[in-house]
Amino acid sequence: MSASLGLLKRCLSALCLVGFRSQLRRNHPVRCPVRGRRLSHTRAAAQRGPLEGVRVLDLTRVLAGPFATMILGDLGAEVIKVERPGAGDDTRAWGPPFVGAESAYFLSVNRNKKSISVDLKHPRGAGVIQELAGVCDVLVENYLPGKLHQMCLGYEQLSRLNPRLIYCSISGYGQTGPQSQSPGYDSIASAVSGMMHITGPEGGEPVRPGVAMTDLATGLYAHGAVMAALLQRHRTGRGAHIDCNLLSAQVSCLTHIAANYLNSGKEARRWGTAHESIVPYQGFTTKDGHLVVAAGNDKQFINVCNVLQLKELTNKPEYKTNTLRVQHREELLHTLSQRFLQEKTADWLRRFEGSGVPVGPINSIQEVFSDPQVKHNGLIQEMNHPTAGRITVPGPAVRFSSFAHDEPTPPPLIGQHTVQVLRHTLSYSDDVIKTLLDSKAVTQNEVS
């Protein structure tokens, strides 16, 4: 009873603050970011991002959520990132390496965002978030299911204030179910989902992928779900609650591995760089490095043999079809592997040019960002950071004919935009802002 009474008091306190601010804003109304805001006609329409005019309240940290909201920001949305006073997003401390005082990890997934520093445990802080949710189109959060509801910031509570709000919850296992209260970590979800079971060298131990692919896949799913919900809202006028989680995202990405088991009971195993159903389709060691060959059909296999000057292999009955090559993979791959060892990677790549066989080197990260196609695709993005100076991060993966990603804003400092957002987005007076700052409900970073 005492816990319920305490929750009720906190909710009433936050709602009272909302009512007080609504009264204060009668002469300074906050215009709806989509329906009430007029966009400048001085900019050519073709240069507007697809999501210009959409405002996103970002209550996420670490990777899956920030990756999703960064994509939304890349597409022109205004993203307001809410961070804890003092520490901010967990990844700000994940280093080395650091660029100045900023971790490279944080810098990699937080461009095109504003940062406000708000104490959600403070009643006035929760009230600020409620008001922001009232003027935002999208809210993305990755708290443990039910945690924000205890702060009166759950979907049911905020959708009453803003029925058009699209509320995307990112969690480890989903909003309901036996594991819903377990915290979500990429490495754990990667293990539970089966991803680690199928990753690693043939006959070796399970291996974690080199980047947090489960987090990243979840971020991509979240981004797509938000886009779909915006389209749905355009038709219905109402928002929605999106349940996006690491387990579901990664299990869905098992695709044919899952279908093999579900339809035939075939358990998957680790193949290293190889493919269980296609031969040759894997990495090979060369005289000075590695490359990958992907012969997806019989014609490409013949071309591989011609390039390797092993034409006699094409006449062997056991290699005539892919099904037969899979059955006799061991002896075939031994022969191919011995041949690849005789020349350097660059020489092999030249030999394969024009052959119709997909091949590529296994690049180091240094080699990746020296690759002419990577540069041409705009995947090296530079910007000026207020404390770290000139920084470089991976650029957006998708390009549009209608606008260009020419002027990204750098990842923000903790609370860099607190006063700006309170003043311009919520129309708070200087006196109210000072009261919030003095109470420590919010903080402002003083570095310009």
Side-chain angles (χ1 to χ4, degrees):
M1 177 69 77
S2 60
S4 300
L5 184 60
L7 175 60
L8 178 61
K9 287 181 177 178
R10 289 196 299 273
C11 289
L12 288 173
S13 176
L15 288 171
C16 284
L17 180 61
V18 171
F20 168 71
R21 293 298 310 133
S22 298
Q23 182 81 10
L24 185 65
R25 285 205 310 274
R26 283 180 178 174
N27 296 324
H28 303 281
V30 177
R31 288 183 289 176
C32 172
V34 173
R35 291 175 296 172
R37 194 167 94 190
R38 291 184 177 273
L39 299 175
S40 170
H41 293 284
T42 59
R43 291 178 59 195
Q47 290 302 308
R48 296 173 181 168
L51 295 185
E52 185 170 341
V54 172
R55 184 178 287 151
V56 178
L57 186 58
D58 182 2
L59 291 169
T60 70
R61 59 268 189 224
V62 187
L63 185 53
F67 187 58
T69 56
M70 181 181 70
I71 297 172
L72 299 174
D74 287 342
L75 296 177
E78 177 189 3
V79 180
I80 301 172
K81 182 179 179 71
V82 180
E83 299 192 73
R84 295 172 297 166
D89 190 311
D90 298 32
T91 60
R92 288 186 181 273
W94 288 9
F98 291 93
V99 186
E102 303 295 324
S103 78
Y105 200 119
F106 177 84
L107 295 176
S108 71
V109 289
N110 284 288
R111 65 173 172 261
N112 291 324
K113 300 178 185 181
K114 300 174 181 177
S115 172
I116 64 170
S117 182
V118 182
D119 182 358
L120 298 188
K121 296 180 181 179
H122 194 295
R124 290 186 173 182
V128 168
I129 300 304
Q130 285 184 330
E131 288 218 35
L132 283 171
V135 295
C136 283
D137 301 281
V138 178
L139 184 152
V140 187
E141 59 90 9
N142 63 351
Y143 282 75
L144 202 65
K147 188 68 174 179
L148 288 180
H149 181 83
Q150 296 173 10
M151 304 176 191
C152 297
L153 299 175
Y155 170 69
E156 296 81 3
Q157 295 142 328
L158 295 185
S159 64
R160 285 196 289 269
L161 297 173
N162 179 5
R164 291 173 55 83
L165 182 66
I166 294 165
Y167 190 113
C168 179
S169 295
I170 299 175
S171 62
Y173 301 91
Q175 295 300 298
T176 59
Q179 289 291 107
S180 63
Q181 291 303 300
S182 299
Y185 290 91
D186 172 89
S187 59
I188 307 303
S190 179
V192 173
S193 68
M195 176 68 163
M196 279 193 193
H197 177 74
I198 60 173
T199 305
E202 185 177 357
E205 294 296 314
V207 171
R208 175 186 175 274
V211 293
M213 289 308 303
T214 302
D215 267 342
L216 296 173
T218 306
L220 289 170
Y221 267 115
H223 148 252
V226 166
M227 300 292 280
L230 285 168
L231 283 173
Q232 183 183 51
R233 190 184 70 173
H234 181 70
R235 296 196 307 270
T236 67
R238 296 192 62 83
H241 186 203
I242 298 168
D243 177 357
C244 192
N245 65 84
L246 305 185
L247 179 65
S248 296
Q250 188 57 73
V251 170
S252 73
C253 286
L254 294 178
T255 57
H256 71 283
I257 296 295
N260 288 348
Y261 171 75
L262 293 172
N263 291 283
S264 67
K266 183 178 180 181
E267 180 60 82
R269 64 184 182 91
R270 292 176 286 284
W271 287 97
T273 64
H275 195 294
E276 69 172 325
S277 303
I278 311 172
V279 175
Y281 196 105
Q282 65 179 72
F284 292 94
T285 303
T286 66
K287 197 171 185 178
D288 66 343
H290 301 85
L291 57 75
V292 172
V293 175
N297 58 53
D298 296 336
K299 182 179 179 180
Q300 288 177 345
F301 171 67
I302 292 172
N303 291 341
V304 168
C305 295
N306 289 335
V307 170
L308 297 181
Q309 297 178 334
L310 295 172
K311 192 173 181 179
E312 65 275 12
L313 296 179
T314 64
N315 296 321
K316 291 195 172 185
E318 60 267 36
Y319 303 151
K320 285 294 184 181
T321 68
N322 179 70
T323 300
L324 291 169
R325 291 193 293 275
V326 170
Q327 293 171 5
H328 299 90
R329 72 164 62 230
E330 188 172 339
E331 60 186 67
L332 173 58
L333 292 176
H334 176 75
T335 302
L336 299 181
S337 296
Q338 292 302 307
R339 181 69 180 102
F340 275 113
L341 284 170
Q342 295 173 11
E343 298 191 37
K344 295 181 179 180
T345 299
D347 295 329
W348 283 125
L349 294 175
R350 280 192 293 270
R351 284 175 176 267
F352 274 101
E353 285 183 7
S355 68
V357 178
V359 297
I362 298 181
N363 284 333
S364 68
I365 304 304
Q366 179 182 4
E367 290 167 333
V368 169
F369 290 103
S370 299
D371 187 288
Q373 190 66 48
V374 169
K375 294 178 179 179
H376 174 81
N377 287 359
L379 293 171
I380 303 173
Q381 191 171 66
E382 296 183 348
M383 61 197 81
N384 292 316
H385 188 273
T387 61
R390 194 70 173 168
I391 64 170
T392 308
V393 298
V398 178
R399 298 284 155 179
F400 290 74
S401 64
S402 56
F403 84 106
H405 301 279
D406 285 339
E407 299 179 2
T409 59
L413 304 173
I414 303 172
Q416 180 179 344
H417 305 95
T418 300
V419 170
Q420 177 191 125
V421 169
L422 296 181
R423 181 176 291 138
H424 298 296
T425 305
L426 293 180
S427 297
Y428 282 12
S429 69
D430 289 343
D431 288 343
V432 171
I433 293 172
K434 183 178 185 302
T435 299
L436 289 170
L437 290 169
D438 289 345
S439 71
K440 304 299 183 184
V442 303
T443 59
Q444 167 69 33
N445 194 308
E446 297 302 327
V447 177
S448 59

